[in-house]
């Protein structure tokens, strides 16, 4: 889970500082999404896929490609 650095703005980046790790099986509640836009394409490549949506959860932000919906 990443937390935006003081100079990143409201959306985390792939090189933003890691706040803490989320383990497989953890249940996260999120209804808010932050969209990171870049002129050249997807904002990140995490968990084997590209994307630009970060899910805002308690404690920080996590790439939406790394989450599985129930």
């Amino acid at each position: 889970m990443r937390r935006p650095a003081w100079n990143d703005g409201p959306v985390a980046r792939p090189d933003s500082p890691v706040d803490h790790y989320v383990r497989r099986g953890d249940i996260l509640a999120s209804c808010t999404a932050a969209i990171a836009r870049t002129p050249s394409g997807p904002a990140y490549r995490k968990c084997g896929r590209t994307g630009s949506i970060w899910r805002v959860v308690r404690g920080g932000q996590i790439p939406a490609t790394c989450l599985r919906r129930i």
Side-chain angles (χ1 to χ4, degrees):
M1 183 172 306
R2 297 188 181 274
R3 188 177 293 259
W6 64 273
N7 59 348
D8 279 347
V11 179
R13 297 185 332 189
D15 60 346
S16 293
V18 173
D19 186 55
H20 64 278
Y21 291 94
V22 177
R23 291 179 175 62
R24 182 181 296 269
D26 287 351
I27 297 174
L28 303 171
S30 173
C31 61
T32 307
I35 300 173
R37 298 182 190 266
T38 60
S40 61
Y44 60 81
R45 179 167 177 77
K46 298 289 181 191
C47 301
R49 293 180 284 177
T50 59
S52 35
I53 298 175
W54 291 81
R55 287 290 173 182
V56 179
V57 295
R58 187 173 177 183
Q61 297 174 12
I62 191 164
T65 57
C66 296
L67 297 176
R68 186 178 65 143
R69 298 187 79 173
I70 301 174

